[in-house]
Amino acid sequence: MQILVLNCGSSSAKFAVMDTASGQEVIAGLAQRIGSPQATLGWKMAGVKAERAIPGADHKAALETIVSVLRELGLAEGIRGIGHRVVHGGEHFSASRIVDATVVDGIRDCIPLGPLHNPANLVGIELGAVLFPGLAQVAVFDTAFHQTMPRQAYLYAVPWSWYEEHHARRYGFHGTSHRFVSRQAAEQLGRPYDQCRTIVAHLGNGCSACAIKDGQSVDTTMGLTPLEGLVMGTRSGDVDPALIGYLAPRLGITADKVIDALNKQSGLQGLSGLSNDMRTLLEAAGNGNDRAKLAVEVFVYRLAKAIAGLAVPLGRIDALVFTGGIGENAAPIRAQILDQLAVFGFRVDETRNRAHGRSVGGRITADGATTALVVPTNEELMIALDTAALVAA
Ligand code: ADP
């Protein structure tokens, strides 16, 4: 079944047509700088790239152009459903859902929790209904997979009313990726998914790790927002919340501005003063740049500590799985993490690790050692599979 996957952001719209039978991407593209004179729509099909200027386009104009491109390429007629990535589903959604009025209301209710993303996601859903009348739409939530976390994992130790009245708790994100990757890992391990205990490290620009026990997320590193947890490209991850009150008057800025800097000027970027990009930092560290080296050291140490913590709810680790741009490509980072987790029996196999595990079904640890795997994520395919399943039902 061919499914259109849409990921509407505040100034961008990512799209793909996925064929769920083959698992292949038919076309993928991105409208960028929506709302500006520089707005463009780019796409790639069968290895061929193309781009069209859409100056001044708003979301509606951008999506209309996407639909005309799909028509011109003869793809629009074959689409059987639209799968939308929705960032925050709060406690309303523990699985993907066919979009109806109740689902739209639920997504709207979660806007205070995802103020940057949910409104854009809703725009995508509204336009999808207009551009493809009669076609089923499905909402796939970043948070849904983590709704199985037990109370001791999702509650903050704060006044009870903050949770009860304001829904302040840990939600977790990257759920679509953690679910896809942990299922692939179970297949590679040759174990039923509901008997598998894995830790997935999704390391991209945003980074999170998740403990998956018998097919369910039991803990993850992100919290109320994606700022909590690991060191990321530009996000700090965990800091003492008192830092905000300490710094705001000293810097002469509001608490909101401090939080903005924790999101956009921290992490690898803040520590290195050079870049948020792991490739750049590994190269600079190799050339003797001490701050780049330090940024990588902090990134690895904090990640290793978090992974060790996620072993607690699992009791046993069948596999540690690396995914995302860094997880899939940065062999030296994987090696350093496995070294720091030697206490769990990990021992890297350098040859397999350099080959990103491709030679041996993803495995990058030595025979006899605890298993670590590299599994490429594919959130678009997971969204398409969910959509196809709900459409077929
Ligand atoms: P996003 O979270 O935006 O989807 P990605 O999953 O593409 O991002 O991950 C981006 C990160 O992956 C960047 O830090 C980038 O430097 C890193 N990365 C990609 N390729 C490599 C590589 N060959 N070696 C090291 N890091 C890499």
Side-chain angles (χ1 to χ4, degrees):
M1 195 184 291
Q2 303 225 326
I3 301 292
L4 173 62
V5 177
L6 274 182
N7 180 357
C8 265
S10 52
S11 64
S12 68
K14 216 173 151 186
F15 75 98
V17 174
M18 303 296 299
D19 184 85
T20 55
S22 65
Q24 295 301 308
E25 170 189 285
V26 180
I27 185 175
L30 174 69
Q32 296 185 83
R33 297 180 290 275
I34 289 178
S36 84
Q38 292 81 33
T40 55
L41 172 66
W43 65 90
K44 190 172 164 189
M45 185 171 162
V48 182
K49 285 186 182 173
E51 194 175 270
R52 199 170 283 182
I54 46 171
D58 57 6
H59 278 92
K60 183 163 183 285
L63 286 186
E64 277 168 358
T65 315
I66 292 173
V67 174
S68 9
V69 167
L70 294 177
R71 288 222 170 89
E72 287 162 30
L73 296 169
L75 297 172
E77 295 67 29
I79 294 169
R80 293 286 165 267
I82 309 177
H84 293 269
R85 175 185 181 217
V86 180
V87 169
H88 221 304
E91 289 186 329
H92 289 287
F93 301 105
S94 55
S96 301
R97 293 274 298 275
I98 291 264
V99 174
D100 59 15
T102 320
V103 169
V104 168
D105 286 347
I107 297 172
R108 199 169 285 128
D109 274 355
C110 294
I111 287 178
L113 294 167
L116 297 178
H117 295 103
N118 276 33
N121 302 154
L122 276 173
V123 168
I125 288 173
E126 279 158 19
L127 290 171
V130 174
L131 294 169
F132 288 93
L135 208 58
Q137 303 202 84
V138 168
V140 180
F141 301 89
D142 265 22
T143 50
F145 183 55
H146 304 298
Q147 280 296 298
T148 47
M149 283 196 288
R151 290 193 300 183
Q152 73 263 26
Y154 73 67
L155 286 173
Y156 293 117
V158 295
W160 184 251
S161 62
W162 294 6
Y163 167 58
E164 206 160 55
E165 290 166 31
H166 302 286
H167 317 289
R169 52 159 280 183
R170 308 182 63 247
Y171 290 95
F173 298 85
H174 287 146
T176 311
S177 175
H178 288 304
R179 185 157 56 100
F180 180 80
V181 168
S182 56
R183 282 159 60 140
Q184 296 283 316
E187 248 174 59
Q188 288 179 23
L189 294 170
R191 272 175 180 268
Y193 187 48
D194 61 3
Q195 289 169 30
C196 224
R197 301 192 182 179
T198 54
I199 297 175
V200 174
H202 176 113
L203 311 175
N205 279 310
C207 299
S208 74
C210 178
I212 298 125
K213 182 180 186 181
D214 306 338
Q216 298 194 322
S217 166
V218 288
D219 204 351
T220 188
T221 54
M222 284 178 169
L224 175 75
T225 76
L227 182 55
E228 187 178 330
L230 306 175
V231 173
M232 315 183 205
T234 63
R235 294 187 202 127
S236 63
D238 292 341
V239 292
D240 182 341
L243 185 74
I244 297 164
Y246 174 79
L247 280 174
R250 282 173 175 76
L251 298 174
I253 57 178
T254 60
D256 276 352
K257 287 270 186 263
V258 179
I259 294 170
D260 199 52
L262 291 173
N263 269 306
K264 297 183 185 152
Q265 296 163 33
S266 302
L268 294 173
Q269 170 70 52
L271 277 169
S272 70
L274 178 69
S275 173
N276 64 328
D277 195 291
M278 187 55 90
R279 264 169 305 201
T280 310
L281 295 181
L282 286 173
E283 199 182 310
N287 292 330
N289 182 318
D290 192 51
R291 289 265 301 277
K293 188 165 164 272
L294 184 63
V296 172
E297 282 167 4
V298 176
F299 178 90
V300 167
Y301 175 65
R302 288 269 299 270
L303 175 57
K305 254 196 342 178
I307 290 169
L310 289 171
V312 172
L314 291 186
R316 152 188 115 222
I317 302 174
D318 292 332
L320 167 62
V321 194
F322 292 97
T323 196
I326 297 172
E328 291 165 32
N329 298 298
I333 298 290
R334 293 193 301 258
Q336 288 175 45
I337 291 162
L338 293 174
D339 272 354
Q340 297 198 13
L341 291 170
V343 67
F344 292 100
F346 291 109
R347 204 157 22 89
V348 73
D349 179 309
E350 284 302 341
T351 311
R352 293 171 177 177
N353 190 37
R354 266 197 306 275
H356 306 298
R358 276 173 208 132
S359 47
V360 275
R363 188 179 171 96
I364 55 168
T365 41
D367 293 337
T370 307
T371 304
L373 302 171
V374 176
V375 174
T377 192
N378 193 339
E379 289 168 275
E380 283 75 21
L381 179 57
M382 189 78 258
I383 292 173
L385 289 171
D386 277 8
T387 305
L390 286 169
V391 167

